[in-house]
Amino acid sequence: MPRISLTFAAESLELDLPEGSLVTQFHGPAGVCDEQAVQLVAQAIAAPGHGPPLSAHVVPGDRVVIAIAGVIPQAAAVEGAVVDCLHEAGIDPAEITVLRAGVFEPQPTQEPAADVSAVLFDPSVESATAYLAADAEARPLYIARALVDADVVVTIGSFGWDAALGGRSLEGELWPSFGRVENRQQLLLSVARRGRGGLVDWRSSVHDITWQLGVCANLRLVAGRSGSLHAACFGLPEEATRLARTAAAGWRPTGEETADLTVATLSAGAASLTAAIRAIAAAARLTHPEGTICVMGPVAETPGIVLSRWRQGVPLPPLFREAVASRDPVLIADALQTRHLARALGERRLVLSCGLPEAVVEDLGFGHASNSAVIERLAHQAEHVVVLHEADRMLPHN
């Protein structure tokens, strides 16, 4: 008898399916944790495939800023390995600053490495930023002042996929992680107005800012399953990104045929509506247009007014235009989420097993799975079940 093992929100669930059921499961790539993660990073920064090691980027007396953009896997191990390398290269701990920025997901609490100062970048404090350059439309780009004042900047960020955007995630880059609030809002508005054209501008800004800062030491990380670290790629920004893209192929599974039911779980710590929509977009790539998607995770974020009104029957195009015209960042973000959800979902049925009250889910016109029996019943009714573990990290194709 086929059995599905699911882990989400620190809970485990076993589903038994009838004999003869077709079940396809996709996991992310394996990874390492703790001391093994330290060793993986240490090896990457000591002997990169292209370019000099991290120790060659610094000389004693340099003021070094380690810029961590967003959430990274095995954060303590990664940070510890980089700091140890800088120490061995002759950099005094007092000259090392760890600057952290959380952009699209909440930044988890983390203790700084021993003897190293740690600062959480606040984009709302204008004095914490400095003018760096202007974009293609002559708008000023401000970046964290600590990065401008540093002798050497070491950047650390994750490389991943965002199925809702149809490709690469925006996380893990200096920009807009270390920009001002208005710079982030401009990016949001640009993506809302121009779609992927706005992403082209974003990539251009990332390139220009990296070049203006003279960043040569870049560590790109690829998460493994269950919060582990799959790969660490070090070198010049473009080279490290290229290597990370190859290493992240394990999060791009191939499905030979679409399923009647796709069950998608969220990765540890992913509790936002944004993460759920990413998972839905990933699941939709492997689900029949008239099939069912079931998302399991601790999402408890109340849907915004644009999403709610759309689900109540108001046409999305005028809602979207109204939100963009308002220039309200909250409404624009809500409208973008709604558009991503609408495009991914199509005519598919959505069932949620999350932290939202059943009444809220049903008011949105979605199914609510209050227990495992509901999910098991859905699986029994399907001829082909696909399971995407940590679907918010995946970009499937068929």
Side-chain angles (χ1 to χ4, degrees), residues 143-165:
I143 199 77
R145 186 177 298 277
L147 302 182
V148 178
D149 294 341
D151 295 314
V152 177
V153 174
V154 180
T155 65
I156 303 177
S158 293
F159 181 97
W161 309 106
D162 185 345
L165 291 177

Side-chain angles (χ1 to χ4, degrees), residues 164-333:
L165 291 177
R168 182 180 166 189
S169 170
L170 299 182
E171 297 172 8
E173 296 286 359
L174 283 175
W175 186 257
S177 301
F178 292 99
R180 285 185 177 179
V181 169
E182 56 261 37
N183 294 136
R184 303 180 186 197
Q185 293 172 351
Q186 288 169 358
L187 172 60
L188 191 69
L189 183 60
S190 178
V191 173
R193 285 176 169 173
R194 304 179 56 213
R196 296 192 179 185
L199 297 180
V200 172
D201 290 344
W202 164 72
R203 294 188 187 96
S204 177
S205 295
V206 169
H207 178 272
D208 292 346
I209 287 170
T210 302
W211 183 83
Q212 290 280 353
L213 284 174
V215 175
C216 295
N218 184 242
L219 179 62
R220 299 308 299 259
L221 308 169
V222 177
R225 67 184 67 165
S226 304
S228 61
L229 176 63
H230 173 64
C233 307
F234 180 77
L236 294 172
E238 291 184 0
E239 178 63 20
T241 299
R242 184 186 67 80
L243 294 172
R245 180 184 295 274
T246 300
W251 290 104
R252 299 204 61 191
T254 300
E256 296 183 358
E257 59 182 50
T258 56
D260 306 300
L261 169 68
T262 298
V263 179
T265 67
L266 302 184
S267 56
S272 67
L273 189 58
T274 297
I277 292 174
R278 288 182 184 177
I280 293 167
R285 289 170 164 251
L286 299 179
T287 310
H288 189 275
E290 296 180 357
T292 300
I293 296 173
C294 178
V295 175
M296 305 175 67
V299 178
E301 180 184 347
T302 302
I305 187 172
V306 177
L307 196 157
S308 298
R309 291 180 65 190
W310 169 62
R311 293 302 298 174
Q312 291 167 1
V314 180
L316 182 54
L319 278 177
F320 191 88
R321 289 193 296 269
E322 181 181 350
V324 172
S326 74
R327 302 183 72 89
D328 182 330
V330 175
L331 284 177
I332 294 173

